[in-house]
């Protein structure tokens, strides 16, 4: 992987390690190593990837929307299917089994095989590029962007500006949001860890 841009590393339920980036995706399982190159086996490079609760593998791509890999087949979802933008930075599944996608033009929810919700500038987002998404145990969606953190709660955006504990997170670039087994949210920013 020397000289390659690596953006996402995860493992699947079978124990294979997946590595994704501008080059495409590689899967390492035991002594087996396979790479699906962007613009050859894959239509685009990858920003983020994960395995959902049903065992399907999802890829958020540089310019081809999202790709679902299931039963040895790729299914591509794009703006033609209702995705806000084909540049997809992040992808996440919440406890309700909805897939949330952070794109260059906002956030989509993919539920029951349709894009049923779009959160964009038109309904309150302060900007459009979202690279970090996670959910807490209360069902709130935490959204990170280059301009700070937001929370989607009870089907509306909650402004966290002025709320104790979020003073340093509403105006800084959020890179990653992680919930640990003790239900603490860890937020990686351009200036450190909160």
């Amino acid at each position: 992987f020397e000289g390659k841009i690596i953006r996402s590393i995860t493992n699947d339920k079978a124990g294979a390690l997946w590595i994704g980036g501008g080059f495409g995706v590689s899967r390492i399982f035991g002594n087996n190593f396979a790479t699906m190159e962007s613009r050859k086996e894959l239509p685009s490079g990858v920003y983020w990837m994960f395995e959902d609760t049903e065992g399907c593998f999802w890829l958020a791509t540089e310019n081809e929307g999202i790709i679902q890999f299931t039963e040895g087949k790729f299914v591509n979802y794009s703006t033609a299917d209702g995705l806000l933008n084909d540049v997809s930075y992040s992808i996440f599944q919440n406890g309700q089994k909805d897939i949330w996608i952070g794109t260059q033009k906002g956030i989509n929810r993919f539920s029951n095989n349709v894009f049923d919700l779009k959160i964009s500038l038109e309904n309150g987002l302060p900007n459009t590029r979202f690279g970090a998404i996670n959910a807490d145990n209360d069902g709130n969606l935490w959204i990170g962007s280059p301009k700070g953190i937001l929370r989607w709660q009870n089907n509306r955006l909650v402004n966290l500006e002025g709320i104790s504990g979020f003073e340093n997170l509403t105006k800084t670039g959020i890179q990653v949001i992680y919930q640990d087994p003790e239900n603490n949210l860890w937020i990686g920013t351009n200036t450190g860890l909160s």
Side-chain angles (χ1 to χ4, degrees), residues 8 10-13 18 20 25 42 45-61 65-70 73-78 81 83 88-94 97-101 109-115:
S8 183
T10 192
N11 61 332
D12 63 24
K13 291 177 180 78
W18 292 72
V25 174
L42 288 177
V46 172
Y47 279 113
W48 197 256
M49 56 193 173
F50 86 102
E51 184 179 24
D52 70 17
T53 57
E54 306 297 318
C56 299
F57 215 75
W58 294 83
L59 310 172
T61 72
I66 58 172
I67 297 172
Q68 179 188 35
F69 183 67
T70 181
K73 296 178 188 171
F74 290 106
V75 178
N76 184 253
Y77 298 97
S78 67
D81 302 297
L83 190 64
S88 301
Y89 297 111
S90 58
I91 189 164
F92 171 79
Q93 185 177 38
N94 66 6
K97 299 186 179 180
D98 298 324
I99 305 292
W100 292 86
I101 304 102
R109 181 176 64 195
F110 188 74
S111 183
N112 298 315
N113 291 319
V114 295
F115 292 102

Side-chain angles (χ1 to χ4, degrees), residues 138-158:
D138 296 325
N140 300 313
L141 189 69
W142 294 86
I143 305 165
S145 80
K147 295 184 179 180
I149 193 163
L150 302 165
R151 183 173 62 208
W152 179 259
Q153 181 179 10
N154 299 322
N155 291 319
R156 66 180 184 89
L157 281 172
V158 176

Side-chain angles (χ1 to χ4, degrees), residues 9 108 163 168 172 185:
I9 301 172
N108 278 99
I163 297 177
N168 297 327
T172 189
L185 278 180

